[in-house]
Amino acid sequence: MPLPHPLDGHDRAWGALAPQIRDKYECGLDDTCAVSVPHPPTAAEERRLVAQFLSGLEKLFSRENNWTFLQPLLLTMEHCTRCQTCAESCHIFEASGRNELYRPVFRSEILRRLYFKYVKHGGLLSAWQHGEIELNWPLVARLIELSYRCNLCRRCAQTCPIGADNGLVAHELRKLFSQEMGIAAKELHQQGSMLQLKVGSSTGMSPEVVKDNIAFIDEDISERTGIEVRTPWDVEGADVLLIHNAGEIMAWPENPGAFALILNVAGVKWTMSSELAGYDSINYGLWYDDVQFARVALQHAEIARQLKVKKIVVGECGHAHKALCVIADRLLSGDLNVPRESSLTLLRDIVMSGRIQFDPSRNDFPVTLHDPCNLVRLMGVVEPQREVVRALCPQFREMEPHGVNNYCCGGGSGFAIMSGHNFPDWRFHVAGRKKLEQVLNAFSDCLEPETPKYLCAPCSNCKGQFRDMLAHYKLWEQNRILYGGLVELIVNAMADVKPGFIEWEWR
Ligand code: SF4
Ligand code: SF4
């Protein structure tokens, strides 16, 4: 798929996998490697892994073991008509030049054949009807990688006439590999869920470190804006427990700083929590493992219960929104069912309330808005962020398509933090390509470097993908496209704040 100006004809070469990587890990699917599964040393070990897979496959289709997602999974297995409507909606399939491996139903078709043969024990007639397949280690190894070639954006499911969900198939496969075989991307499991549960955050920040960092941020924001900012900690009975993706505190400190300033000026009675995981809304289990997901979600809810807050508000992080506001609904009952709200609706209410004076001329530069899939398509939070940017950004322009028809940034489902071997090349050249096209088209009238442009992405993972992808294509250096969150635009337009909160520096 060709890219528009200024990247037309200037696509960079894609680094090949080194031979020693292929010697060590299972890389039989395509030209990259996401999960780094070592080759089994013996045939006996291969047989053991295949038996584990088969056991996990049976559990995936049993109500006792998979009560969460069995129904939509069965719908997808039993009723897909192979009409291929979904293929036309998948950015990965399109951007790859319609590589059959990335056709949304390709992965589902493999699982479907395995389901009819090994779970339903269909005979010859079933094989004739649904297709033959032989279960062996090379197939399982390729399927592991294939489950990490989908952003879980579910644009395909939205367009499917019967609601079959190929994104769910990728999710369920990842779950099988993690829960039954102990195989998951290390960035999501060891460096993600495990670190968060042990230390308090997948960033590695302990409660003491996070409080230090926030104190530093408060000081910096007070100096930059001329308004005294202090973040409240562990306030019992607060109206709002704000939980950021802790990556914001490390990588984009102006974001939590801007949140603190807005909430304080608006007079919201809010708090952050210094309990383990209470200051980090990340829940990577959403993407690969129901058990790890539940452990983190329960911890978030328990902290809110103990603090007796009126509600939890999730900062600018799409997957954290979906984890805590939607999927956790299946887990949280009784006094753990603390109300949860998106920060985007709260911010919209504050901006529209008239409690803060704004000067939109401070945001008089081209702004476009990225729709994080988890927040927008999968939760329906479409308008609040638009009301804010329409009110505060005179040169706002939409990407096409947008809202629930948006395209994923290419970093969804954990890819934004996965950077093993040459996987980032795949992220930038395939998974993120459609979004890159959208961004360039949105700014096509002002690509010259003299005009600074702002790509608003109210999601920490999306920002990570944009940071890496815009840097890869040198779009800041050469075209002055900066990315950032929504709260930064709000503070930049606040009339009582020193002008120039957005500093137009690459980070
Ligand atoms: S759109 Fe739905 S029914 Fe058609 S091929 Fe895709 S998953 Fe199957
Ligand atoms: S969920 Fe998204 S990335 Fe995955 S197959 Fe569907 S459209 Fe493609």
Side-chain angles (χ1 to χ4, degrees):
M1 189 192 98
L3 287 169
H5 180 71
L7 297 178
D8 40 344
H10 292 279
D11 214 0
R12 290 165 49 138
W14 183 341
L17 272 179
Q20 56 270 36
I21 301 300
R22 289 192 180 277
D23 288 347
K24 193 168 174 191
Y25 300 117
E26 294 290 348
C27 307
L29 179 73
D30 53 10
D31 302 323
T32 188
C33 178
V35 192
S36 302
V37 178
H39 296 298
T42 61
E45 179 62 5
E46 287 188 1
R47 284 194 295 277
R48 188 187 70 79
L49 288 165
V50 171
Q52 268 189 335
F53 175 83
L54 204 48
S55 158
L57 189 68
E58 281 161 11
K59 288 180 186 167
L60 214 53
F61 289 99
S62 82
R63 190 158 302 282
E64 298 71 32
N65 290 294
N66 195 14
W67 56 270
T68 43
F69 295 107
L70 181 61
Q71 190 190 33
L73 185 61
L74 284 177
L75 174 109
T76 305
M77 292 296 101
E78 300 269 0
H79 299 294
C80 170
T81 59
R82 297 164 178 83
C83 68
Q84 302 306 326
T85 310
C86 52
E88 301 311 315
S89 66
C90 177
H91 59 292
I92 291 180
F93 180 58
E94 182 183 347
S96 70
R98 304 175 77 82
N99 182 339
E100 286 301 324
L101 279 177
Y102 308 142
R103 185 182 284 279
V105 291
F106 185 90
R107 175 188 309 109
S108 304
E109 189 59 33
I110 296 168
L111 184 62
R112 187 173 293 114
R113 292 183 184 195
L114 292 169
Y115 162 71
F116 280 110
K117 181 168 180 178
Y118 295 99
V119 179
K120 295 197 86 177
H121 302 292
L124 275 178
L125 187 60
S126 171
W128 176 77
Q129 192 183 353
H130 301 290
E132 183 51 290
I133 193 161
E134 209 52 56
L135 181 58
N136 51 37
W137 171 247
L139 178 97
V140 174
R142 283 162 59 90
L143 210 44
I144 293 168
E145 280 294 312
L146 195 53
S147 67
Y148 286 85
R149 297 293 185 280
C150 166
N151 282 125
L152 309 184
C153 75
R154 297 172 69 215
R155 198 169 190 270
C156 53
Q158 182 174 254
T159 56
C160 172
I162 61 159
D165 191 340
N166 295 298
L168 177 73
V169 168
H171 174 272
E172 295 298 281
L173 283 167
R174 290 185 189 188
K175 186 164 97 182
L176 185 167
F177 296 130
S178 179
Q179 292 183 197
E180 194 70 19
M181 301 172 73
I183 293 173
K186 68 177 185 315
E187 294 90 341
L188 304 187
H189 186 61
Q190 290 98 323
Q191 298 164 6
S193 306
M194 293 299 99
L195 195 59
Q196 184 178 22
L197 288 161
K198 188 172 165 212
V199 178
S201 165
S202 60
T203 60
M205 277 190 295
S206 65
E208 296 73 32
V209 172
V210 79
K211 285 179 97 167
D212 266 4
N213 284 347
I214 289 285
F216 176 78
I217 292 169
D218 285 349
E219 202 177 306
D220 178 57
I221 296 294
S222 302
E223 207 171 288
R224 278 167 63 178
T225 61
I227 296 179
E228 184 68 23
V229 175
R230 264 235 325 271
T231 293
W233 286 100
D234 304 313
V235 180
E236 209 176 292
D239 290 342
V240 166
L241 167 63
L242 178 66
I243 315 185
H244 291 293
N245 176 320
E248 298 286 324
I249 298 164
M250 301 285 280
W252 302 288
E254 62 282 359
N255 185 283
F259 261 105
L261 180 82
I262 295 166
L263 296 182
N264 286 353
V265 172
V268 175
K269 197 176 161 211
W270 69 290
T271 188
M272 282 181 65
S273 163
S274 63
E275 290 294 321
L276 286 193
Y279 49 90
D280 189 359
S281 62
I282 281 171
N283 191 341
Y284 291 154
L286 181 79
W287 292 322
Y288 76 99
D289 189 309
D290 287 355
V291 176
Q292 305 310 334
F293 166 83
R295 294 173 75 194
V296 173
L298 287 169
Q299 195 148 333
H300 284 146
E302 177 59 22
I303 289 162
R305 189 189 68 80
Q306 283 182 14
L307 272 178
K308 301 186 181 67
V309 294
K310 294 204 175 63
K311 65 184 169 191
I312 300 172
V313 168
V314 185
E316 293 187 8
C317 178
H319 93 273
H321 269 77
K322 188 166 163 231
L324 205 49
C325 299
V326 180
I327 305 296
D329 259 349
R330 298 177 181 215
L331 290 171
L332 306 179
S333 58
D335 58 358
L336 281 180
N337 194 10
V338 180
R340 281 97 66 197
E341 182 183 344
S342 168
S343 54
L344 300 189
T345 49
L346 180 66
L347 291 167
R348 184 268 317 273
D349 291 349
I350 291 172
V351 169
M352 297 301 163
S353 69
R355 273 180 274 173
I356 300 176
Q357 291 298 308
F358 291 103
D359 175 4
S361 71
R362 293 187 182 187
N363 282 343
D364 194 11
F365 41 81
V367 173
T368 194
L369 181 65
H370 166 62
D371 288 303
C373 301
N374 282 300
L375 255 163
V376 179
R377 178 165 35 259
L378 304 177
M379 280 183 67
V381 183
V382 181
E383 277 300 307
Q385 60 275 37
R386 289 188 155 69
E387 288 181 46
V388 173
V389 289
R390 279 190 210 115
L392 301 184
C393 304
Q395 294 191 51
F396 170 58
R397 71 275 310 278
E398 290 278 15
M399 292 186 205
E400 295 300 337
H402 56 265
V404 296
N405 295 317
N406 76 318
Y407 284 103
C408 176
C409 64
S413 81
F415 292 174
I417 54 163
M418 290 168 59
S419 52
H421 316 305
N422 65 352
F423 192 67
D425 279 343
W426 187 85
R427 268 205 280 143
F428 308 146
H429 288 265
V430 180
R433 197 174 185 84
K434 196 70 189 166
K435 179 54 67 178
L436 192 60
E437 179 190 56
Q438 284 195 286
V439 173
L440 293 174
N441 285 341
F443 291 135
S444 63
D445 62 331
C446 55
L447 281 166
E448 66 284 351
E450 294 74 32
T451 308
K453 296 158 279 287
Y454 193 91
L455 165 55
C456 177
C459 169
S460 199
N461 278 289
C462 300
K463 281 196 302 198
Q465 166 76 353
F466 283 127
R467 174 191 57 205
D468 298 349
M469 189 161 65
L470 297 184
H472 178 80
Y473 288 102
K474 299 189 186 314
L475 289 170
W476 166 248
E477 284 148 273
Q478 293 176 3
N479 301 91
R480 283 290 179 268
I481 301 178
L482 190 66
Y483 66 94
L486 183 68
V487 282
E488 294 90 320
L489 283 172
I490 296 174
V491 172
N492 200 56
M494 284 171 66
D496 294 337
V497 159
K498 281 189 215 164
F501 181 73
I502 293 175
E503 291 182 323
W504 300 105
E505 280 174 3
W506 184 253
R507 68 254 189 251

